[in-house]
Amino acid sequence: MPRQARNTIITNYSHVIVQGIEKNYIFRERYFKNLYLNLLKTNMMEPNIELLGYCVMDNHTHMILYLDDINNSKAIGKFMQKVNTCFAVKYNKINNRVGFVFRNRYYLQPIMSERQLYNCLVYIHKNPIKANIVPKYEDYEFSSYKEFIGKRYLITDRGVKLIFGSNKDYLETFEEIHRIKNIEDIKDVKETIDEKI
């Protein structure tokens, strides 16, 4: 049975999640986390998409993507297909296995306000703390938190500007939103993500 087409994208900003099939720990090893990040970097050549935030956990990855032209709704699908297919091929080859690696293509949640964008960024960066992997945001190597406060790899000046309106005077706001304890707009993925979105 063919896959159902995604509905029209209604906002430039989206929270995107990919998860291992049967919640498998497909990113458990450092090599696979780095592989996924490198594939994101390689495929960011897609001129229509900007990566604004990310966190690669052991069995799932969160991203915030910005789509320049919401009328080109296929751009996110093409981007995610390239990244996930390349990862799956390599993962299967290394692990001497066949079959699906990801639970679904991806989940997509529209981000409809600046507040929701800030909360989503904090939610993503908070994943390793919530999972008791690290005590502080900056201790986790595979999230974009460290890029906002230090050396950039995937997050660009343009990406920072798309979130904060400036790529120069944003650190105070960035640090302030990460001190917020109560995240209201973004709940656990299984509570809010509708696969039909």
Side-chain angles (χ1 to χ4, degrees):
M1 183 167 155
R3 287 180 168 164
Q4 189 174 10
R6 299 236 179 229
N7 292 345
T8 304
I9 291 178
I10 55 172
T11 174
N12 298 89
Y13 296 85
S14 296
H15 176 203
V16 177
I17 304 102
V18 295
Q19 187 175 53
I21 192 162
E22 296 177 355
K23 299 184 181 180
N24 288 339
Y25 288 77
I26 61 173
F27 302 114
R28 175 176 282 167
E29 295 172 36
R30 174 186 201 85
Y31 173 82
F32 290 115
K33 287 184 178 80
N34 282 320
L35 172 62
Y36 201 78
L37 292 175
N38 289 332
L39 288 169
L40 289 174
K41 173 89 169 170
T42 303
N43 287 284
M44 285 316 296
M45 301 299 186
E46 175 67 50
N48 207 19
I49 293 177
E50 187 83 32
L51 180 66
L52 304 182
Y54 65 87
C55 184
V56 182
M57 299 293 284
D58 285 351
N59 74 341
H60 68 283
T61 294
H62 291 271
M63 290 166 270
I64 299 175
L65 297 179
Y66 177 85
L67 182 63
D68 282 327
D69 179 8
I70 61 172
N71 294 315
N72 185 9
S73 58
K74 292 184 180 179
I76 288 180
K78 279 172 57 182
F79 172 73
M80 294 306 300
Q81 182 182 22
K82 283 182 194 173
V83 171
N84 289 352
T85 299
C86 289
F87 180 87
V89 168
K90 191 97 170 174
Y91 182 87
N92 280 343
K93 185 174 182 181
I94 289 170
N95 290 289
N96 195 26
R97 70 182 295 277
V98 294
F100 293 109
V101 172
F102 293 98
R103 182 176 174 188
N104 294 307
R105 288 179 287 177
Y106 56 92
Y107 298 103
L108 187 144
Q109 178 183 46
I111 296 173
M112 303 303 292
S113 68
E114 182 180 81
R115 180 180 179 203
Q116 191 184 13
L117 176 63
Y118 286 173
N119 285 353
C120 188
L121 186 65
V122 174
Y123 173 82
I124 286 171
H125 290 157
K126 196 170 262 190
N127 262 239
I129 296 170
K130 188 178 171 188
N132 294 315
I133 297 169
V134 294
K136 297 182 293 189
Y137 292 113
E138 58 269 28
D139 293 340
Y140 194 67
E141 185 179 350
F142 304 100
S143 92
S144 55
Y145 184 90
K146 66 187 184 325
E147 294 197 41
F148 285 97
I149 62 170
K151 188 177 178 185
R152 303 261 176 78
Y153 178 65
L154 289 169
I155 305 301
T156 66
D157 283 347
R158 178 177 183 253
V160 172
K161 194 171 183 180
L162 285 165
I163 297 175
F164 298 103
S166 169
N167 58 14
K168 294 188 172 101
D169 303 319
Y170 69 92
L171 269 176
E172 187 177 333
T173 303
F174 178 81
E175 289 169 357
E176 184 181 328
I177 65 172
H178 281 80
R179 285 194 291 269
I180 295 169
K181 301 288 184 206
N182 186 19
I183 304 295
E184 298 170 5
D185 291 346
I186 305 293
K187 296 185 177 84
D188 200 13
V189 170
K190 61 180 172 276
E191 294 175 45
T192 57
I193 301 300
D194 180 351
E195 292 182 49
K196 292 180 181 174
I197 291 174

